Amino acid sequence: MMINGPYLLAPLSTSMTVSWEMNAEVRTRIWYGTNGQLDQQMNVTCERGTPWKDNSKGICMYRAVLKNLEPATVYQYKVEIESQEVAQGTFKTLEESPKKIRMITVSDSHLFNIHKDFTKMILADKPDFLIHSGDISLATGYQKDEYTVNWFAPGAEFLRQVPGVYVSGNHDISPYYEDFFLNVQKNTYYSDQTGHNSSFTYGNVHVVLLDS
């Protein structure tokens, strides 16, 4: 069963990461393409993260790093699981030399009581990406279920369409935040060894993500 996702991470002009969490290690495949033609595919395997409750081996994260994409292009994708469960979404790669940059920032979302209005707004505006600058969890970040309840579930509709970039706050001090967000950014952007501080360039803007 899919617990969280799919959601989009680490946008660039020629790559995008589609990520999701399963409750067990199963065979999964992602199909993707343009103009409704899902003619490219990739098998995606479980990457173990931090242990949680019955998942003593570590939570099961799936990360499909889609490369060699066309800039400023809309892609559709479909995640297939051996249980016949299917999840679908769409995304647009970043432009190589944008004349303008469209981003939305949010922080301290915690219980995310405004998620309905936020979803309506972000899907209508369709920014290039979303920056969450910290504090998804209401507690310390070690309460893994809070990421599902506070972010992935209420934001499911826009998270599968608008890529996110994440900076941890003082309520996100846990390895689960790294499992969900930072590990991908660390491997995609300029980053220190922890992944808590990273940066990327989009057009004539250099975006710096600092865990202060």
Side-chain angles (χ1 to χ4, degrees):
M1 180 182 70
M2 187 176 289
I3 300 174
N4 293 311
Y7 58 100
L8 303 168
L9 292 170
L12 290 173
S13 61
T14 59
S15 72
M16 185 75 70
T17 297
V18 184
S19 185
W20 62 95
E21 180 193 2
M22 301 292 297
N23 67 334
E25 190 169 351
V26 296
R27 289 181 297 177
T28 67
R29 178 179 298 175
I30 186 168
W31 297 80
Y32 62 101
T34 61
N35 301 315
Q37 300 297 314
L38 305 182
D39 52 3
Q40 301 181 70
Q41 61 174 294
M42 175 191 298
N43 293 323
V44 189
T45 58
C46 167
E47 298 178 31
R48 289 291 180 180
T50 308
W52 171 254
K53 292 186 176 180
D54 295 336
N55 225 333
S56 59
K57 293 182 179 179
I59 64 173
C60 214
M61 296 301 303
Y62 289 78
R63 303 177 178 110
V65 183
L66 309 182
K67 299 181 178 181
N68 301 315
L69 305 177
E70 293 295 324
T73 301
V74 175
Y75 283 81
Q76 295 82 37
Y77 67 90
K78 176 175 68 175
V79 176
E80 288 186 341
I81 303 166
E82 63 179 6
S83 63
Q84 306 302 313
E85 186 177 357
V86 175
Q88 301 181 64
T90 183
F91 63 82
K92 184 178 180 180
T93 51
L94 302 185
E95 297 182 38
E96 286 189 326
S97 301
K99 294 182 179 179
K100 62 180 180 179
I101 295 175
R102 302 170 65 250
M103 68 178 80
I104 289 178
T105 64
V106 63
S107 69
D108 297 270
S109 52
H110 296 304
L111 296 177
F112 207 15
N113 293 323
I114 63 166
H115 71 272
K116 291 183 179 179
D117 290 335
F118 189 86
T119 296
K120 183 178 179 180
M121 178 271 297
I122 198 170
L123 290 181
D125 192 63
K126 279 294 181 70
D128 301 329
F129 52 86
L130 159 77
I131 295 181
H132 196 300
S133 55
D135 292 350
I136 291 175
S137 173
L138 186 62
T140 64
Y142 278 90
Q143 300 75 19
K144 174 183 172 294
D145 289 344
E146 287 198 0
Y147 292 101
T148 301
V149 175
N150 295 354
W151 187 244
F152 290 121
E157 187 177 359
F158 71 81
L159 289 173
R160 66 180 61 196
Q161 300 181 59
V162 178
V165 178
Y166 294 83
V167 189
S168 57
N170 63 312
H171 288 264
D172 305 312
I173 306 172
S174 86
Y176 300 113
Y177 195 88
E178 297 172 0
D179 291 334
F180 287 133
F181 310 114
L182 300 187
N183 288 343
V184 169
Q185 292 181 176
K186 179 174 65 175
N187 293 326
T188 307
Y189 297 151
Y190 300 104
S191 174
D192 64 7
Q193 291 184 348
T194 69
H196 284 257
N197 303 287
S198 59
S199 67
F200 66 98
T201 298
Y202 184 34
N204 61 359
V205 174
H206 190 66
V207 181
V208 180
L209 313 167
L210 291 179
D211 180 1
S212 59

